[in-house]
Amino acid sequence: MKTVLMLTNFSETSRKAITSYLKIHSQLKSDSKFGLLNVYSAPKTGQSQLLKIDDILEQYSLQDLKREKQQIDKVAGLDKLDIDLISGKGDLVKVINQLNEKRPIDLIVLGSKGSNILKQLILGSNTDKVVRLSKCPVLVIPENIDFKKPKKIVFATDLKDCRFKKHFERLANIIRFFSAELLILNVYKETKPDGQLFEEMMNIHLKDIPHSFYYIQNNDAANGISSFLVENQADMLALIERPGNLLVKMFHHSVTNQLALSAEMPLLVFHS
């Protein structure tokens, strides 16, 4: 991965996610470029006052970014790590997408308060906005877990994801980076789908990666995925988010009935 963008609001949650990711990254051979992004909002006021306030808020943001980097370096034990400090104003997703246009971002890393990431995606949050609207792969790390190098990553799919071949390449690159095994899962309700073409395409992208395909029957996709994650001792769940908010559609019923993912683990999302 060439460019990794880490999001911070200077909270303990974001700091823990960033430091845990950097500790793992430092153990792997990579020449990645890192960016640490903080986005601030300016209050509504007159034009002349707004310019002055913008300058002040930007200075505060950059000062806080410098202090945050010092804390991250100290906790992660990476004193010489080169991290670009980026201060942005306005809408978080808009700033991210503008940065992505200037230099393609291979991965966004952000922390999630609490263990139930999917519930936050449904209720709405900055996590939700970044996952749904940014054009880059997003790794969401819940604050209640000790993030470690993943050995098994589950990619849950309805087999319609074959239209998004570029995401398979990105997924494959991330799997290679972590030297992980990929478990490709389809949960169906009644009739097992014909996955031959999908498997053939995946085999092309994953020819050098240990991977396997699984089809399980369950009327509730979330329950099926949750059970599979636990039974196979998975370390991360990967999904492709498509128009119409697939995550919300897939997990809404289970979350509202307190049947959401029982396994607390990072979520890797690719946006179509």
Side-chain angles (χ1 to χ4, degrees):
M1 290 181 286
K2 295 182 179 180
T3 305
V4 178
L5 182 66
M6 305 172 293
L7 309 187
T8 181
N9 58 1
F10 310 120
S11 67
E12 184 62 32
T13 298
S14 61
R15 187 177 306 122
K16 183 178 179 181
I18 291 169
T19 53
S20 62
Y21 175 81
L22 287 176
K23 285 180 181 179
I24 294 173
H25 199 108
S26 66
Q27 300 170 10
L28 307 171
K29 294 181 179 180
S30 173
D31 57 352
S32 300
K33 301 290 184 181
F34 295 99
L36 183 63
L37 171 66
N38 170 252
V39 175
Y40 62 90
S41 298
K44 295 182 179 180
T45 183
Q47 187 65 31
S48 59
Q49 290 180 315
L50 182 60
L51 293 175
K52 295 180 181 178
I53 293 175
D54 277 354
D55 290 340
I56 294 173
L57 291 176
E58 183 179 14
Q59 290 176 15
Y60 281 151
S61 177
L62 288 172
Q63 290 173 4
D64 288 340
L65 280 167
K66 291 178 182 178
R67 284 192 289 266
E68 188 68 12
K69 182 183 181 302
Q70 291 175 349
Q71 293 193 53
I72 290 171
D73 287 343
K74 183 177 180 180
V75 175
L78 304 169
D79 295 333
K80 297 182 180 180
L81 187 64
D82 186 19
I83 300 178
D84 291 332
L85 304 181
I86 308 168
S87 176
K89 183 189 77 170
D91 182 76
L92 175 60
V93 173
K94 185 176 181 180
V95 172
I96 291 173
N97 288 336
Q98 288 174 343
L99 292 172
N100 184 54
E101 290 177 2
K102 295 178 181 178
R103 178 194 288 179
I105 298 169
D106 296 296
L107 185 66
I108 294 173
V109 177
L110 74 157
S112 172
K113 191 171 182 61
S115 60
N116 197 329
I117 297 175
L118 294 170
K119 188 172 183 179
Q120 292 184 50
L121 294 177
I122 290 171
L123 296 178
S125 63
N126 278 334
T127 302
D128 167 54
K129 292 178 182 177
V130 174
V131 166
R132 288 191 299 107
L133 302 176
S134 67
K135 300 176 182 179
C136 320
V138 180
L139 175 60
V140 187
I141 303 175
E143 66 172 356
N144 293 344
I145 70 165
D146 183 16
F147 180 56
K148 298 179 180 179
K149 178 177 173 292
K151 296 180 180 179
K152 289 184 179 181
I153 298 177
V154 172
F155 172 49
T157 174
D158 58 5
L159 305 185
K160 296 178 182 178
D161 297 322
C162 58
R163 293 174 294 168
F164 308 110
K165 295 182 180 180
K166 67 177 182 179
H167 294 313
F168 293 147
E169 296 174 2
R170 288 178 168 180
L171 175 62
N173 288 335
I174 292 176
I175 300 295
R176 291 189 190 98
F177 175 74
F178 286 122
S179 299
E181 175 187 357
L182 182 63
L183 285 64
I184 303 160
L185 172 66
N186 172 259
V187 179
Y188 62 92
K189 288 186 177 182
E190 297 176 356
T191 305
K192 179 181 176 181
D194 182 0
Q196 182 178 352
L197 292 177
F198 179 83
E199 290 186 22
E200 290 177 355
M201 186 190 66
M202 289 296 287
N203 286 333
I204 293 174
H205 290 284
L206 304 171
K207 57 185 177 181
D208 60 332
I209 296 173
H211 64 281
S212 49
F213 299 90
Y214 299 86
Y215 298 84
I216 61 174
Q217 190 278 328
N218 195 308
N219 290 328
D220 188 312
N223 274 342
I225 294 172
S226 179
S227 298
F228 185 85
L229 292 171
V230 174
E231 291 170 4
N232 289 274
Q233 299 181 322
D235 303 301
M236 184 182 294
L237 172 62
L239 295 163
I240 291 180
E241 162 69 330
R242 299 202 300 269
N245 205 345
L246 174 64
L247 291 175
V248 172
K249 288 183 178 180
M250 181 179 291
F251 291 99
H252 181 268
H253 176 75
S254 290
V255 170
T256 54
N257 287 281
Q258 298 182 346
L259 293 174
L261 290 176
S262 57
E264 299 175 1
M265 66 181 60
L267 183 65
L268 177 63
V269 183
F270 300 85
H271 199 284
S272 62

